[in-house]
Amino acid sequence: VPLCQSALMGTVYPNGLSDTTVSVDAVLVTTGIGSVTAALCIQQTIQYVTSNGIWDASSTAFAKLDQASPFVAAYFMGTSGWSPFVGGLNPLSPNGDCGEKRINQRISVGSVCVSPISYDFECGIQLERPIDQGLNGECFDLGYYDTFFRSDLFGTCAYNSVAAGGQQLASAMLQSSVSLPFISSNLSAYVTEYWSAMQLGQQAGKAIPFPPTIVTTQCAEAVSHAIWQGAQEDFQCRMLTGMLLASAKKEENSLHKSVNSKEKVGDADQFVCTSAMEGYGYLSAISRILPTVPAVIIRGASNYDMYPLYKKTTANGTALWQQNNQYLSPADEASFNVAGYHYAIQTSNEVMLNYFATL
C-alpha cells in the first residue's frame, strides 16, 4: 500500500500473547501526517483489502471474501492538543467577564477523546484583524464559525459517522472499564510548571489535574495544517465543536451525511477543543467508500492548545489575558512535548485495547 507509511494485516491480541483466547483480525496502517495523506492512505487500504481479501496465516495466502467488504468498524488513533479546561475564555459571555468565573474543570494531559466527528478548522470566512486588535488580548471572538456551513463556498467542512453507528461505538468504548496508566514523574513535573504559570481558573494549592478522563460527548477532532496556540482559536474550536455535536444529533437517519446545516450553540463552555491533523481526511474516505461502517477517532491529549495565561495591564490600565510563552526554556518545552506524546499514545492505546478485549 504505497500511499501509507506502513500497512500490516494480522491479528491483535489485546491481552498480550499470554492470552490468545481474545483476538481481533485487523488491518493496521500508519497514514503519515496530514488530512490529505490520511485520506489517500485509507482509501488505498480499503480498496486493496476489498480486492485481495484477508491474509490467511494457516495457508500463507490471501483468502477471498464472499461479502463486498470485510470491515465491520474503523478506528483512528493519535495524539492531539487540547483545551486546558472544559470551556475557557468566552468573549460572548453576557456579563462581559470573558466567562472567567465559569471555568472550574481542568483537563489532564493523557485524557482521551473518542468521537465520530471531525471537521476542517480552516473552513469559514475570516476578516483580517485590525492592526490594533491585539488590544483585546486573548479574549477575542474570531467569529468565522458564522460562515462555517457555507457549503457553496467550501464544500463539505465536516464529516460524521453518527448515522452509521459511530456514536454508539464511541459510547461502548467509554463504558468498557479501563484503568489508564499513571503519569511519569518527568511529565508530571512539566505539567506542574504549566499549571503554576496558568492564572486562569487557578485554585491556590491545588494539585495538577489527574487522572485523565475519557470524553465522548464534549469533543470532536478539529483538523488544521498549522499548530496554533491561543485562547482565541480555542474558543473558535469549542464553538464549532458544539455546533457540530448538535447538528449530528439531527442526522442519525442518514448514513455518514456531511454536516452542512447550521445549529449554533449559545456558548462554548461545555466543550473541549481537540486539535489534530488527520481525522477529517480519514472520515471523508470512510464516508465515501464504507458508508455503513461505524468509524471513530481516538485522540490522546499530548499537550495543551495554548500557553499558560496571565493578566497584563496595558498603558491605559486595562487588564487583558495574554499568553506566557516563556514559562519553560525551549529545551524543556521540547521535552514536555515528547513526554506528552508518549503518554497520550499510552492512554489512547489502553482505551483501544481494553475495548478490543470486550469484543
Side-chain angles (χ1 to χ4, degrees):
V1 187
L3 295 180
C4 300
Q5 283 193 354
S6 66
L8 301 171
M9 182 184 295
T11 303
V12 175
Y13 298 99
N15 294 327
L17 292 176
S18 60
D19 179 11
T20 58
T21 60
V22 180
S23 64
V24 179
D25 291 329
V27 177
L28 177 65
V29 299
T30 303
T31 65
I33 297 174
S35 190
V36 173
T37 302
L40 291 172
C41 169
I42 296 299
Q43 178 179 342
Q44 189 175 57
T45 299
I46 294 170
Q47 292 171 339
Y48 182 90
V49 174
T50 303
S51 298
N52 293 279
I54 295 293
W55 181 257
D56 184 351
S58 61
S59 62
T60 63
F62 283 98
K64 286 288 187 178
L65 302 158
D66 294 330
Q67 67 267 41
S69 171
F71 297 100
V72 296
Y75 310 86
F76 192 101
M77 288 195 304
T79 61
S80 54
W82 279 47
S83 307
F85 307 94
V86 175
L89 289 181
N90 188 339
L92 302 183
S93 181
N95 57 10
D97 67 349
C98 286
E100 298 172 22
K101 297 179 181 178
R102 300 174 65 181
I103 300 171
N104 54 29
Q105 184 179 347
R106 301 186 297 171
I107 293 292
S108 170
V109 169
S111 294
V112 179
C113 170
V114 184
S115 177
I117 302 172
S118 184
Y119 61 93
D120 185 348
F121 183 73
E122 291 155 356
C123 271
I125 300 173
Q126 183 177 4
L127 298 178
E128 183 177 348
R129 295 171 60 186
I131 195 168
D132 64 344
Q133 198 65 73
L135 295 176
N136 290 288
E138 288 296 314
C139 185
F140 179 71
D141 181 16
L142 296 173
Y144 62 92
Y145 50 82
D146 282 329
T147 58
F148 184 78
F149 293 102
R150 288 287 301 276
S151 59
D152 58 319
L153 296 177
F154 312 109
T156 301
C157 288
Y159 288 94
N160 74 72
S161 174
V162 173
Q167 190 58 61
Q168 291 93 324
L169 179 56
S171 298
M173 296 183 72
L174 174 65
Q175 291 169 3
S176 58
S177 177
V178 57
S179 178
L180 296 180
F182 202 77
I183 192 170
S184 69
S185 58
N186 180 46
L187 180 57
S188 177
Y190 287 127
V191 176
T192 299
E193 290 288 337
Y194 181 91
W195 287 105
S196 296
M198 172 67 83
Q199 295 182 8
L200 180 65
Q202 186 178 19
Q203 299 181 28
K206 188 173 182 179
I208 65 171
F210 194 85
T213 55
I214 305 174
V215 181
T216 63
T217 59
Q218 297 168 291
C219 64
E221 182 181 323
V223 168
S224 174
H225 297 96
I227 299 177
W228 49 262
Q229 294 276 95
Q232 296 178 12
E233 289 82 0
D234 177 77
F235 171 74
Q236 170 81 13
C237 178
R238 289 184 286 111
M239 282 291 290
L240 287 171
T241 296
M243 291 162 64
L244 290 167
L245 288 169
S247 293
K249 291 180 181 179
K250 296 186 175 182
E251 299 182 12
E252 296 180 359
N253 295 322
S254 57
L255 299 180
H256 282 287
K257 183 178 178 183
S258 57
V259 182
N260 281 322
S261 58
K262 183 174 178 181
E263 181 71 21
K264 187 171 180 179
V265 172
D267 61 56
D269 293 344
Q270 57 188 310
F271 305 107
V272 296
C273 177
T274 303
S275 176
M277 294 185 177
E278 294 80 31
Y280 175 82
Y282 152 75
L283 279 181
S284 69
I286 296 291
S287 70
R288 288 173 168 85
I289 308 173
L290 302 174
T292 61
V293 172
V296 293
I297 300 167
I298 304 102
R299 288 288 189 181
S302 55
N303 56 282
Y304 296 117
D305 66 7
M306 66 184 75
Y307 289 105
L309 299 176
Y310 71 101
K311 273 194 170 177
K312 179 180 180 180
T313 302
T314 64
N316 63 5
T318 303
L320 299 175
W321 288 106
Q322 303 286 344
Q323 293 190 82
N324 178 2
N325 63 355
Q326 298 180 336
Y327 79 103
L328 288 178
S329 69
D332 281 339
E333 184 177 351
S335 296
F336 185 178
N337 288 334
V338 171
Y341 292 147
H342 288 171
Y343 187 51
I345 291 169
Q346 286 182 303
T347 57
S348 56
N349 280 350
E350 193 69 28
V351 171
M352 182 80 265
L353 292 174
N354 182 77
Y355 174 69
F356 276 0
T358 67
L359 298 179

